[in-house]
Amino acid sequence: MNNHRRKVQDGLAFLYGPAAAQQVWPQFAAALDAFHRAHPALAQPSVPPDQRLSERDVVLITYGDQIQAPGEPPLQTLAATLRELTGDAINTIHILPFYPYSSDDGFSVIDYKQVNPAWGDWADVRDLGRDYRMMFDGVINHISQHSAWFEAFKRGEEPYARFFVVMAPDVDLSAVVRPRTLPLLTPALTAGGVKHVWTTFSADQIDLNYGEPELLLAILDVLLFYVSQGARLIRLDAIGFMWKEPGTSCIHLPQTHRIIQLLRAALDDVAPDVLLVTETNVPHPENISYFGDGYNEAQMVYNFTLPPLTLHAFQTGDATHLRAWASTLHTPSPQTTFFNFMASHDGVGLRPLEGILPRAEVTAMAERVLAHGGRVNYRTATDGATVPYELNIVYFDALSDPQAGEAAATQVARFLASQAILLSLPGVPGIYVHSLFGSRNWREGVELTGQNRTINRRKFQRAELLADLAAQDSIPHQVFTRYLHLIRVRTGTPAFHPNGAMAVLDLGPGLFAHLRTAPGNSTRVLCIHNVTNAVQAAMAVLGEAAAGMRLTELTTGAAVTADSAGRVALTLPPYGVLWLQYSSGADASRS
């Protein structure tokens, strides 16, 4: 037995006890053996683990039906449009859940192994995989109430009768951390009478019972199927809630971490190039716990603190909190990195600001979003207070008031400065499709669905999208062309490698600045971003080794020369961005 399989077996013993582990292990081993026989090439890593990602990696986050055209399966339309518009600038596509679903725009999955027939089929997904690295969603905390699994549960059929968490309504669950204000238990009429099932997110999303080893085996089968269909990254959705234990918080429990470690070990055994990405919208210390020891859990975690803290910096014109937090960023090994993002289909989560910003400042952020035409979702805090949980707004409008009459050039510059921060930080950037195309709030969608999150989930008609992008005076054209340029600069710059070092600099509250160094210490890039609507001046001190050195501003190609003391005097326009590349050999600091 190799080390990976030993870890799977040890994980089973931890979760279910030695006797049960010994009983179920043959089924897990058989699943791994069958996958290996069917896909032997996947068992050989293509590169060493710390070289699986590079500065070339940029992920576009999109729905499978995001771009539509009459008479075409949307997955085919999406593929053709992205190839035409982005070329090779983006190398990875994260298709949000493209399976049949009953609610939540895909996150209430009816059948894990089917493609939504209205969007296309597995051949369309595999076709995308010929040009892009593919990221699939593993929505494995819960499943739709309309799934075959839950229907079989209601009929009392084995093993599905044990696949869901049944709890008496009088059990004390007051310690459970809630991401919603909805009821935690939902009654379901079954062949054995009414049973109350655990529903962390909604009555249509029934939590799975990982206390049952056959359920875990079924989920492993699903993930291996995704790998067989081309998934090279798997996003584990809402993963922190997997294990239920009355009397506890039921979030981030040791059993949850052990399940992820078990899945990681299984994939390392049969498909080591596949990466796990955990999605846990929680405070930063809790979030990064899913790196494990750097070698045994997720290779990437969603960097949830980045979107709201960047928004706060631009809303206030003060990057102090962003700078202080960024200076703490680190990962436990060269095999791990952050999945950085600014916007997503879910809006901007606020729980990651706990312990960073006072509640009054978080409330002020929410009020600004409401003033900009957005919506806010709330939750009940542990002290009983109703507090903002999520800002529902496209990131462009979160930064700029649509009703303020502000010049489009200023709004575009502000937005792109925020995205430049995303592209320049250590990690892999994930770009939500509405950010790439400069979308605005879709308030009509909220009226149609009654769901706040719909505001940034509008779908495009291909002809209209192409027309908007072709109109040179339009915001979509300006955002898209300049954003694509920034992406190409990033992907051609070794200092932006995920494993490249970062030193955060203090150049004053109006500037967010950091120094990136390429692996091997060959080149450096001094990244400075103006978060204010005013001109900002700074003196960057590179050290005597940089005396007379020529620096290249990467976004424009302009040259800047350090003085005889290795100093560079800089002036940034409102919301200006400078990415200054130079040969290694000196440190930068504030003068």
Side-chain angles (χ1 to χ4, degrees):
M1 181 185 300
N2 64 33
N3 189 46
H4 301 309
R5 294 195 175 203
R6 187 171 293 107
K7 289 180 180 178
V8 174
Q9 196 171 40
D10 290 346
L12 292 172
F14 179 88
L15 293 168
Y16 308 117
Q22 187 174 13
Q23 183 177 0
V24 301
W25 163 245
Q27 298 174 69
F28 281 79
L32 297 175
D33 289 339
F35 185 89
H36 179 70
R37 286 193 299 272
H39 309 280
L42 292 178
Q44 301 302 317
S46 59
V47 294
D50 59 350
Q51 296 178 25
R52 291 173 181 152
L53 300 168
S54 77
E55 67 276 7
R56 284 281 308 133
D57 291 301
V58 175
V59 181
L60 182 69
I61 306 166
T62 179
Y63 284 99
D65 66 337
Q66 186 64 58
I67 304 173
Q68 303 172 12
E72 290 182 7
L75 282 168
Q76 294 181 15
T77 306
L78 175 70
T81 306
L82 293 182
R83 287 170 178 141
E84 175 184 347
L85 292 176
T86 66
D88 62 354
I90 291 169
N91 71 349
T92 304
I93 303 295
H94 171 203
I95 310 181
L96 292 159
F98 49 84
Y99 326 113
Y101 68 93
S102 53
S103 64
D104 200 16
D105 287 334
F107 284 90
S108 185
V109 178
I110 293 175
D111 189 333
Y112 287 127
K113 289 189 173 183
Q114 296 296 321
V115 174
N116 187 332
W119 298 358
D121 55 28
W122 281 113
D124 296 319
V125 175
R126 292 191 298 270
D127 178 65
L128 262 171
R130 280 188 270 274
D131 290 327
Y132 301 98
R133 178 185 283 182
M134 298 300 294
M135 181 171 172
F136 290 7
D137 268 282
V139 189
I140 59 173
N141 176 73
H142 49 263
I143 196 169
S144 170
Q145 65 173 324
H146 301 288
S147 65
W149 287 10
F150 193 64
E151 293 294 338
F153 163 82
K154 290 192 294 184
R155 293 191 297 269
E157 297 175 9
E158 290 293 338
Y160 305 101
R162 293 173 278 118
F163 272 24
F164 300 91
V165 180
V166 176
M167 192 68 56
D170 58 351
V171 173
D172 182 7
L173 300 175
S174 58
V176 175
V177 169
R178 299 306 323 286
R180 300 285 188 275
T181 55
L182 298 171
L184 180 59
L185 300 179
T186 298
L189 181 60
T190 76
V194 173
K195 296 182 179 180
H196 289 79
V197 292
W198 198 292
T199 52
T200 296
F201 293 98
S202 80
D204 188 41
Q205 295 166 304
I206 317 299
D207 286 49
L208 297 170
N209 177 23
Y210 283 90
E212 170 52 53
E214 285 195 63
L215 180 277
L216 180 57
L217 180 64
I219 292 300
L220 175 63
D221 176 68
V222 168
L223 298 186
L224 292 177
F225 175 75
Y226 291 167
V227 175
S228 76
Q229 297 301 311
R232 294 301 174 263
L233 298 95
I234 298 177
R235 174 186 181 271
L236 300 179
D237 175 68
I239 209 68
F241 299 97
M242 291 176 77
W243 194 272
K244 280 68 176 178
E245 194 77 43
T248 74
S249 65
C250 294
I251 188 170
H252 316 316
L253 296 184
Q255 295 92 333
T256 293
H257 284 281
R258 201 56 176 261
I259 292 169
I260 300 171
Q261 292 166 20
L262 184 154
L263 296 174
R264 163 74 183 272
L267 290 171
D268 282 348
D269 181 53
V270 298
D273 281 343
V274 175
L275 307 179
L276 293 179
V277 188
T278 50
E279 187 262 348
T280 51
N281 185 4
V282 294
H284 189 71
E286 300 172 32
N287 190 28
I288 62 175
S289 69
Y290 288 88
F291 282 132
D293 65 11
Y295 301 94
N296 67 342
E297 211 158 329
Q299 289 95 339
M300 285 196 281
V301 301
Y302 267 68
N303 201 352
F304 269 102
T305 309
L306 179 60
L309 210 50
T310 302
L311 177 59
H312 176 267
F314 282 92
Q315 284 185 339
T316 62
D318 187 343
T320 301
H321 288 292
L322 176 62
R323 181 175 64 247
W325 167 77
S327 67
T328 70
L329 288 178
H330 69 280
T331 62
S333 83
Q335 296 185 20
T336 55
T337 196
F338 288 102
F339 186 81
N340 294 322
F341 71 109
M342 286 295 180
S344 78
H345 61 288
D346 280 346
V348 180
L350 296 177
R351 278 213 67 202
L353 296 180
E354 293 174 14
I356 297 175
L357 293 183
R359 184 176 289 180
E361 290 199 50
V362 176
T363 300
M365 289 180 64
E367 290 172 350
R368 293 187 193 99
V369 162
L370 291 172
H372 288 199
R375 302 295 182 94
V376 177
N377 282 331
Y378 296 87
R379 71 179 186 91
T380 302
T382 53
D383 61 3
T386 300
V387 297
Y389 168 77
E390 181 181 80
L391 307 178
N392 302 115
I393 190 168
V394 296
Y395 212 78
F396 191 101
D397 284 345
L399 292 164
S400 300
D401 185 351
Q403 308 300 320
E406 193 174 40
T410 299
Q411 297 179 54
V412 170
R414 182 187 292 122
F415 177 72
L416 289 170
S418 74
Q419 304 306 292
I421 291 173
L422 165 66
L423 294 173
S424 64
L425 288 175
V428 173
I431 302 169
Y432 187 43
V433 64
H434 283 295
S435 292
L436 184 65
F437 294 143
S439 296
R440 313 304 296 270
N441 288 335
W442 190 38
R443 299 175 69 179
E444 299 86 351
V446 177
E447 299 302 321
L448 286 171
T449 67
Q451 301 295 319
N452 288 346
R453 287 178 168 179
T454 307
I455 201 166
N456 69 339
R457 295 182 177 181
R458 180 170 66 93
K459 307 300 169 60
F460 299 113
Q461 293 300 314
R462 175 182 162 88
E464 294 176 7
L465 173 64
L466 295 180
D468 286 342
L469 295 177
Q472 295 191 6
D473 60 345
S474 71
I475 284 178
H477 172 86
Q478 295 176 54
V479 168
F480 175 68
T481 54
R482 292 173 61 182
Y483 208 145
L484 205 62
H485 174 63
L486 285 175
I487 291 170
R488 291 191 182 280
V489 171
R490 177 213 156 78
T491 58
T493 305
F496 290 139
H497 190 287
N499 290 343
M502 177 178 72
V504 178
L505 312 177
D506 183 358
L507 298 182
L511 299 173
F512 178 68
H514 58 278
L515 183 67
R516 295 296 310 278
T517 302
N521 206 34
S522 58
T523 59
R524 294 183 175 181
V525 177
L526 176 61
C527 305
I528 309 177
H529 312 87
N530 186 352
V531 302
T532 78
N533 197 21
V535 173
Q536 295 285 326
M539 179 69 75
V541 180
L542 306 180
E544 293 182 2
M549 183 180 293
R550 182 181 184 274
L551 296 80
T552 302
E553 205 293 305
L554 294 174
T555 67
T556 64
V560 179
T561 303
D563 66 16
S564 59
R567 299 174 302 180
V568 182
L570 302 167
T571 302
L572 283 80
Y575 306 114
V577 173
L578 291 177
W579 287 350
L580 297 166
Q581 180 172 267
Y582 63 101
S583 61
S584 187
D587 292 326
S589 62
R590 184 183 180 190
S591 174

